[in-house]
Amino acid sequence: MGNVSAKLASSSCKPKTAKVVRPAPSQSTQAMGATSSVEVENPKALSADAIGQVPDNRSGSTVGLHHVSLSEDVDGRRQHDAGTACVAPPPLHDQQRNSTGSLGAGSHRSGDSQRSSFTADTPASGACVQDATSAEGLRVPARHNRGMALRASSFEASRAGGAAAVGSTGGSSSGRALQPVPELELPLELSSALKQLMVLQDDTPAPVTVLQRIWGLGKSEAEARLEELRARDVVHTAQLPDGSVWATLPQADGERLLLISDQELISQHRDLIDSYSAECKGQLHSVPDDGYVWKHLVYHLINAERVGEIGALLTHPAWLEAKLHAYGMADVVADFRRYLAVREDADVKVVLQAFMLSATACTAFPGVPMMRPQLLGRLMAFGQLETASQWLKDWLEMQMAAAAAEEHLTAGHRCLTHLLPRSASLQQAGGVLRNTLRGHSAPVRRVVISPNGRDVVTVSEDGSVQVWDMNVGDCVMKLSRESPLTDVSVAPDGGLCVIGSADGTCCLWDLTTGQIKHVLTGHTTQVNAVAVDRQGIRCVTASDDGTVRVWDIATGACEQVLQGHNDELGAQGVVFDVAISSDGSLAALVSNDFSCRVFDLDEERCLHVLQGHGNWVVSVEFIGTTEDVVTASHDSTARVWDTARGKCTHVLSGHSGRLNKVTVNSAGTHGITCSDDLTAKVWDLDTGACLSTLVGHAAWISAACMTSDKRHVVTVSGDATGFVWDVKSGNRLMELEGHTDAIRSVVTTYHGRFAVTASDDGTARVWDLQAPVLPRVPKHDGRVKQLKALPDSRRVISIGDDGLAMVWDGALGVVDASVDAHTAVVQYIGLSRDGSIAATGTSNRNVVVWRTSDGSQVSSLPAQQGSRVKHMVFNGDATLAAVLLFDSTVSVIDLSSGEFVRTLIGRGDRRVHTSGVNSLLMSSDGKTVVTASKDGSAGIWDLDSCELLGVVRGHAESIVLTAISPDESLLMTAGYDGLVQLSRMPDGDTLLSLVHDAPPVCMALSHDCALLAVALENCSVFVWALGGELGGPAGMLPPRNAAVEGLTFSPGNLLVVLGRDCTVSVWAVGGGGPPRQAAVFIADAAITCCSFLSALSPDDSSDDSILAVGDASGSVHFLDFPRGLQE
């Protein structure tokens, strides 16, 4: 259906410069009028007036986005809202609430979230139609004239005249004020028809097919009756381009509601539901959509007092997935919230959380049944808790059986299959993570929360600023600029934000219309910080050009230029940060000249230069409502200043590394310093005393914030984690895991229920700080670098950025053994032929040989000083290691003795390679070593004699990839010139050259050496057939938008593509036809590596296998790889 309601909106509601960007609109959405000037990420999830504010002609005010929002409680109730929920006959409890618009303070007509998607014009106040009394004695209020012209061919023209708007708050019949209104005479038959239409929500479009059900008429009879009602101006109609006729019942007034009793209304809701239920044999989850029923079924169930049926509907994966694809995430979440508002249901609540985590993955592949496996993958941990209900455990068991059957069925019928994880490796529902806000393509520099407490604003180095519904996870507005963005600040009324950018410009973005209000030019280099005063009158911007500019928000004019900072050489300094006092009269700016300057903005003069720091001053904040400030410096101290006297009152010392930021709580009582020494400190700003030191991060701390109750502090770090701390004890209460790169910014909601973090991984994440902490699933702290399957086993070894090597039981998803013997990141791994011994190495030459059965150590080579390791490879017994250093020396080490037994290339040796060596290969028997060079050549060496057996030449640029075939008869080399060569081992004769139009980033050879897959920098993937006549193309995979991180072939020659977009894609290639996607899996972080495990159990004789997948967050996923995929 799309948003048919938008067609019935008045054209007068459109901003004259508005533009809506909507991907792939449906037929009905193409007929809509544009009502906003922003880009919309999910057009079906939001109605036309939900993208920015549009005029409401009934009241002359502005209505904004009606969020499906619960403020501080995402689960189902607003903590600050008054009133109780009612089941029936009122439409919904939230219809009695007055909701505010998106990031704005404008009013919004109360009503259901679907009702907010319809607006209609009313004439000027004052016009009226005389009352009339029908022959049947029914008083029927005259409807107000609501012009609906969008397309002349589809809509009736606006008629002159009309009636004055009737004040009404919406909501239930019992809650609406009854006011005297004009009347219009209707025949009994039409009065009865109008009475039956009361089952519909006001201002909600419904197709004629729904009216047929309500009236019990055929199509032509229903259209005729509808036309009679339309002619009397009591309903409005529209015809879509597909010829379908839709109708809407304008907002009801009190007297019209007297036409029907509560019990009659309940009965009508039940009759309508029963008419649909009869078509699907009582299985409402399978009811066909007519453009209306999927969108409004929960509304009718609530008003029919059949609330119990909603729980079954909202826990049915097929229903959730179908509605998600048809109407978007916001509409599905709205159904959950309606249900949870009238019934407390912990099981449905946790399913809602799982749905919100799964929705992004499901929308990426709309044609694949992904909801069931995604929900299961995100509820595994919660389902194992003792506190989980028996219903949920039974539901999980039933869904697991259905998912397994579905997986094998789709695999066997050559349909696209969603691979099912065997353990709780996906982000889990019921825990602290609530939403991942994906949409930026570069690091997110800053995140803020609007004063309304539910909209999140993010700015990114990709040049875009995006506004998100924090509760739903939808991007509702987006603005793209021409250069990376650096900072953002939202005005106190939430109607505007100031955005700073790297090109020296700033802009004022109106968040109610989506229009850029002013572009602020004047800075000559990057803007580092922006701030808006609490009065919403001024904003200030700080730049690398050494100035701070003061701007009038209303006009965009520059009022003042604050300068005076000079560095130690006398040159103009860099201003890193700026803050405005609570009364808007003072600005404090800090610079690399080791000082803080305080300016009186009203008198336009510098009051004090605050000196005392011994290094760059990088952060400043005013303390509460006072005129005192606190500054943080790279000299490892923070200072509290009395700006009235220009004196330092406290020196906050104790850190051993430079400070990155200082923050002050809203009350001005506490300060938090964030340091490179891996700690944060909480200070009493009145006394200067350190209250607690927060120790636990593994990298520099970038930002922190304190909850309003002063009990908790949230810190974020370059180690990609956030921690929640108890202020008094300094104990760590909770870890925020999920980001895969440094976290730059953090903010909490007013009541401290939620925190939002922004990261260099391009995402922002919403965390529930009051959620239970789920059992920790085994994982690496950081990126999984490599996976190595043990031969003829269901076990696999993973190595990660945390320096650990883990041995996993792939069938159970548990760690059997762990090796923590390295002092640096483990980057290289080798296995003995029988898989009993493993050797792992690091860049500091530390090599550990250990048993895979229990992780016990066999031998060790200590770390060494000097040139670091560039590459390391092992022979098939894990007894020898060939080591390449960054000085291009290549040596062979006996791992049992630790002695260097061979030196193939010494320092400065240019006999074979005229440039540096990039990488190595070693044969399984340890007799042959391959060296690949920047000069475009590869040398093949005999290890016993240290003689050169052959040289591969032909690459015009550096060789970036090498591989040896399973039988070690072929050597594959790929150069930065796009050339891939297949050469014979060991003489190096070239057998085949394959030319590509971009540099290769990874390649894979099938087990039978029949297929070669090559992924390029431009994200394309080529497959070559090597059997028969060498070099025949076997196909090219469809274009991708994300980089390829890895390629591998399954034992049955299926190609597995690992994506930076979190996807694992399985392709059937080389069968004579075009490549066919056979399976997919979507994780929560970029996929980094994979390996096939041979069997589910040691004595398993089936052809089923397990695909182990590692990702950038440190998780290892074990995916069922059904036998049907191989056939």
Side-chain angles (χ1 to χ4, degrees):
M1 159 184 166
N3 287 327
V4 178
S5 55
K7 281 193 56 84
L8 302 179
S10 168
S11 58
S12 65
C13 297
K14 307 174 195 174
K16 293 183 180 179
T17 59
K19 177 183 177 182
V20 177
V21 180
R22 301 177 186 274
S26 64
Q27 202 173 35
S28 56
T29 56
Q30 288 172 345
M32 296 180 191
T35 58
S36 175
S37 60
V38 298
E39 295 186 26
V40 188
E41 298 298 324
N42 189 348
K44 286 190 176 182
L46 299 172
S47 57
D49 62 347
I51 313 296
Q53 295 185 336
V54 297
D56 181 343
N57 296 319
R58 289 183 296 276
S59 61
S61 63
T62 300
V63 296
L65 170 61
H66 181 68
H67 287 259
V68 183
S69 171
L70 300 170
S71 186
E72 293 290 319
D73 187 351
V74 177
D75 290 327
R77 286 170 177 74
R78 297 188 191 177
Q79 295 180 348
H80 62 277
D81 281 339
T84 58
C86 27
V87 177
L92 284 173
H93 76 296
D94 62 351
Q95 292 183 355
Q96 296 176 336
R97 298 177 181 168
N98 190 15
S99 303
T100 58
S102 171
L103 294 161
S107 64
H108 191 292
R109 174 179 54 81
S110 296
D112 179 71
S113 60
Q114 275 74 24
R115 296 179 62 169
S116 68
S117 67
F118 175 81
T119 58
D121 291 337
T122 52
S125 177
C128 64
V129 176
Q130 293 299 317
D131 291 356
T133 303
S134 68
E136 292 77 27
L138 293 176
R139 290 171 55 85
V140 184
R143 301 313 306 160
H144 316 303
N145 179 24
R146 304 171 192 267
M148 296 174 292
L150 264 181
R151 295 188 179 183
S153 60
S154 300
F155 296 92
E156 51 188 306
S158 298
R159 292 182 297 275
V166 177
S168 174
T169 61
S172 68
S173 57
S174 59
R176 297 181 179 180
L178 304 185
Q179 300 184 22
V181 293
E183 295 173 340
L184 188 66
E185 182 176 340
L186 284 179
L188 180 60
E189 185 178 40
L190 291 185
S191 296
S192 177
L194 180 63
K195 186 175 179 181
Q196 289 174 291
L197 291 184
M198 293 297 294
V199 73
L200 300 175
Q201 291 178 262
D202 294 342
D203 293 347
T204 299
V208 168
T209 53
V210 175
L211 306 189
Q212 290 178 237
R213 294 176 183 274
I214 295 172
W215 290 330
L217 299 176
K219 181 180 178 182
S220 58
E221 291 87 352
E223 289 179 345
R225 183 163 297 177
L226 178 61
E227 174 59 23
E228 291 185 77
L229 293 172
R230 184 207 63 78
R232 295 176 181 267
D233 203 21
V234 292
V235 298
H236 299 311
T237 62
Q239 185 173 16
L240 298 188
D242 63 2
S244 62
V245 177
W246 292 67
T248 184
L249 196 64
Q251 185 178 15
D253 52 61
E255 293 209 5
R256 196 186 80 197
L257 289 170
L258 294 178
L259 295 174
I260 187 169
S261 69
D262 290 350
Q263 195 56 47
E264 284 179 297
L265 194 56
I266 293 172
S267 179
Q268 287 187 189
H269 282 288
R270 291 175 178 173
D271 290 343
L272 182 59
I273 294 169
D274 288 342
S275 71
Y276 282 107
S277 183
E279 293 184 3
C280 56
K281 299 180 180 179
Q283 303 298 315
L284 286 176
H285 62 265
S286 62
V287 63
D289 188 28
D290 56 6
Y292 177 87
V293 63
W294 284 6
K295 193 171 180 68
H296 303 290
L297 182 55
V298 170
Y299 163 79
H300 288 294
L301 285 170
I302 289 176
N303 285 280
E305 296 186 342
R306 291 166 62 168
V307 177
E309 298 177 48
I310 303 176
L313 194 68
L314 296 180
T315 54
H316 198 288
W319 163 263
L320 296 176
E321 193 158 27
K323 184 162 183 178
L324 173 67
H325 293 319
Y327 297 103
M329 184 175 176
D331 264 34
V332 183
V333 173
D335 282 348
F336 276 100
R337 302 212 196 285
R338 293 186 189 102
Y339 172 69
L340 293 172
V342 298
R343 174 169 292 184
E344 179 64 31
D345 192 328
D347 294 325
V348 171
K349 190 178 294 185
V350 76
V351 172
L352 165 62
Q353 296 171 26
F355 168 80
M356 294 171 73
L357 292 173
S358 305
T360 300
C362 293
T363 53
F365 291 86
V368 186
M370 301 181 68
M371 183 60 72
R372 180 177 282 113
Q374 279 283 324
L375 291 178
L376 286 171
R378 300 182 186 282
L379 287 168
M380 287 183 177
F382 191 86
Q384 295 168 4
L385 296 177
E386 293 183 0
T387 54
S389 71
Q390 188 59 48
W391 180 92
L392 183 63
K393 293 178 180 178
D394 293 342
W395 181 86
L396 287 172
E397 183 177 349
M398 179 182 66
Q399 297 300 328
M400 185 66 73
E406 189 176 76
E407 184 181 53
H408 281 270
L409 181 65
T410 54
H413 286 76
R414 300 171 64 86
C415 299
L416 186 54
T417 303
H418 185 289
L419 300 179
L420 186 65
R422 301 180 64 87
S423 59
S425 54
L426 291 173
Q427 291 168 350
Q428 296 296 293
V432 295
L433 179 64
R434 284 305 177 89
N435 263 323
T436 300
L437 311 181
R438 303 181 189 275
H440 289 292
S441 58
V444 182
R445 292 285 299 270
R446 184 94 158 90
V447 59
V448 295
I449 297 178
S450 169
N452 67 15
R454 60 177 175 258
D455 292 296
V456 172
V457 184
T458 56
V459 293
S460 168
E461 291 179 10
D462 66 7
S464 72
V465 54
Q466 299 190 32
V467 182
W468 309 81
D469 183 327
M470 182 177 71
N471 295 335
V472 177
D474 274 350
C475 175
V476 297
M477 299 179 74
K478 179 179 179 180
L479 174 70
S480 294
R481 302 288 290 158
E482 295 179 353
S483 65
L485 303 183
T486 56
D487 199 13
V488 62
S489 182
V490 178
D493 65 356
L496 174 143
C497 70
V498 184
I499 305 160
S501 64
D503 64 2
T505 65
C506 298
C507 70
L508 301 181
W509 190 27
D510 190 326
L511 296 174
T512 62
T513 66
Q515 304 292 326
I516 294 178
K517 187 174 180 181
H518 300 292
V519 176
L520 312 179
T521 58
H523 289 295
T524 58
T525 53
Q526 174 173 300
V527 174
N528 294 318
V530 299
V532 180
D533 65 17
R534 295 188 185 182
Q535 293 71 37
I537 299 173
R538 294 177 175 134
C539 67
V540 293
T541 57
S543 171
D544 276 355
D545 65 8
T547 68
V548 168
R549 288 178 176 263
V550 184
W551 310 85
D552 183 290
I553 289 179
T555 65
C558 180
E559 295 181 336
Q560 303 174 53
V561 179
L562 314 180
Q563 50 192 345
H565 285 290
N566 298 294
D567 62 21
E568 59 270 21
L569 299 179
Q572 185 169 270
V574 172
V575 182
F576 294 116
D577 197 12
V578 64
I580 303 179
S581 62
S582 62
D583 63 2
S585 63
L586 302 180
L589 35 155
V590 294
S591 170
N592 62 348
D593 68 356
F594 304 177
S595 73
C596 171
R597 290 175 180 262
V598 181
F599 285 82
D600 188 315
L601 299 181
D602 295 329
E603 298 183 5
E604 301 187 12
R605 65 187 181 93
C606 180
L607 297 180
H608 296 289
V609 179
L610 308 178
Q611 296 179 317
H613 283 295
N615 207 323
W616 293 0
V617 187
V618 294
S619 182
V620 62
E621 283 206 22
F622 278 90
I623 300 175
T625 57
T626 72
E627 295 183 351
D628 295 346
V629 299
V630 57
T631 56
S633 169
H634 281 182
D635 67 4
S636 303
T637 69
R639 289 174 177 255
V640 180
W641 306 86
D642 180 344
T643 61
R645 297 182 299 139
K647 301 294 184 181
C648 176
T649 57
H650 301 295
V651 178
L652 312 181
S653 59
H655 284 290
S656 59
R658 67 183 187 180
L659 300 190
N660 299 311
K661 190 170 183 61
V662 62
T663 59
V664 177
N665 70 326
S666 57
T669 56
H670 295 76
I672 310 161
T673 49
C674 307
S675 174
D676 276 357
D677 66 7
L678 317 187
T679 71
K681 291 180 181 287
V682 182
W683 307 86
D684 184 322
L685 296 180
D686 290 333
T687 65
C690 180
L691 302 179
S692 56
T693 300
L694 313 178
V695 182
H697 281 291
W700 44 271
I701 298 178
S702 54
C705 59
M706 178 178 283
T707 56
S708 59
D709 60 8
K710 308 176 190 177
R711 296 173 54 198
H712 301 130
V713 166
V714 183
T715 58
V716 294
S717 167
D719 63 9
T721 65
F723 291 150
V724 181
W725 309 83
D726 179 79
V727 171
K728 285 187 177 180
S729 65
N731 293 333
R732 188 172 73 189
L733 304 177
M734 184 181 296
E735 183 173 358
L736 310 180
E737 291 184 292
H739 284 294
T740 60
D741 210 335
I743 305 177
R744 299 286 180 178
S745 178
V746 61
V747 64
T748 60
T749 53
Y750 177 76
H751 294 292
R753 171 73 186 272
F754 299 102
V756 186
T757 53
S759 169
D760 283 355
D761 65 10
T763 70
R765 294 177 186 247
V766 181
W767 313 86
D768 185 348
L769 304 186
Q770 296 180 14
V773 179
L774 298 176
R776 197 177 193 276
V777 177
K779 60 178 295 188
H780 288 280
D781 290 330
R783 185 184 183 92
V784 181
K785 301 189 72 68
Q786 193 174 346
L787 289 166
K788 199 88 168 179
L790 275 62
D792 301 321
S793 170
R794 62 181 181 180
R795 298 194 300 158
V796 66
I797 300 173
S798 64
I799 58 175
D801 281 348
D802 54 4
L804 294 180
M806 297 181 180
V807 183
W808 300 77
D809 182 324
L812 302 177
V814 298
V815 176
D816 287 342
S818 182
V819 176
D820 186 11
H822 292 284
T823 57
V825 174
V826 181
Q827 296 187 1
Y828 316 105
I829 183 170
L831 276 177
S832 63
R833 289 184 181 86
D834 62 2
S836 62
I837 299 295
T840 47
T842 66
S843 61
N844 61 3
R845 309 192 207 181
N846 176 214
V847 180
V848 176
V849 181
W850 47 279
R851 298 178 183 87
T852 59
S853 58
D854 57 6
S856 60
Q857 187 170 308
V858 176
S859 62
S860 175
L861 277 67
Q864 301 177 41
Q865 299 295 322
S867 183
R868 301 181 72 79
V869 175
K870 190 175 185 179
H871 198 209
M872 184 185 296
V873 291
F874 303 89
N875 69 342
D877 291 326
T879 57
L880 295 175
V883 180
L884 166 66
L885 302 182
F886 270 91
D887 61 8
S888 289
T889 61
V890 179
S891 304
V892 179
I893 304 174
D894 185 323
L895 296 181
S896 59
S897 65
E899 297 180 355
F900 286 82
V901 295
R902 298 283 189 279
T903 298
L904 297 180
I905 301 177
R907 181 178 298 178
D909 187 347
R910 293 292 184 265
R911 291 175 299 165
V912 178
H913 301 300
T914 59
S915 187
V917 179
N918 286 332
S919 62
L920 303 174
L921 290 173
M922 179 182 274
S923 62
S924 60
D925 60 9
K927 294 183 178 181
T928 307
V929 172
V930 178
T931 56
S933 172
K934 293 184 190 310
D935 64 6
S937 68
I940 305 172
W941 304 78
D942 177 76
L943 192 56
D944 291 335
S945 64
C946 293
E947 295 294 327
L948 194 65
L949 300 176
V951 179
V952 175
R953 303 188 188 278
H955 291 285
E957 296 187 55
S958 174
I959 295 178
V960 293
L961 299 170
T962 57
I964 297 180
S965 63
D967 62 2
E968 300 186 348
S969 65
L970 294 175
L971 170 65
M972 289 153 290
T973 56
Y976 197 74
D977 55 2
L979 179 66
V980 174
Q981 292 191 150
L982 272 71
S983 306
R984 186 168 52 222
M985 291 279 286
D987 55 27
D989 289 346
T990 299
L991 303 175
L992 178 66
S993 295
L994 305 173
V995 180
H996 304 87
D997 59 359
V1001 293
C1002 53
M1003 61 183 179
L1005 186 67
S1006 63
H1007 294 264
D1008 59 3
C1009 299
L1011 297 170
L1012 174 67
V1014 181
L1016 308 180
E1017 267 188 5
N1018 61 13
C1019 305
S1020 59
V1021 178
F1022 289 86
V1023 182
W1024 301 89
L1026 305 182
E1029 295 184 6
L1030 289 176
M1036 177 182 176
L1037 269 56
R1040 301 173 55 90
N1041 295 322
V1044 177
E1045 292 285 327
L1047 298 171
T1048 193
F1049 278 95
S1050 75
N1053 279 8
L1054 291 174
L1055 176 61
V1056 180
V1057 182
L1058 312 180
R1060 196 171 295 173
D1061 58 357
C1062 312
T1063 63
V1064 178
S1065 301
V1066 182
W1067 294 83
V1069 295
R1076 175 182 61 85
Q1077 190 168 8
V1080 68
F1081 170 75
I1082 301 183
D1084 300 303
I1087 307 298
T1088 57
C1089 53
C1090 74
S1091 182
F1092 277 94
L1093 282 61
S1094 59
L1096 295 178
S1097 62
D1099 57 352
D1100 190 0
S1101 60
S1102 73
D1103 293 329
D1104 284 359
S1105 57
I1106 298 175
L1107 176 61
V1109 175
D1111 69 25
S1113 71
S1115 296
V1116 179
H1117 312 275
F1118 296 96
L1119 311 176
D1120 281 333
F1121 206 80
R1123 175 173 47 192
L1125 286 176
Q1126 307 283 353
E1127 298 174 349

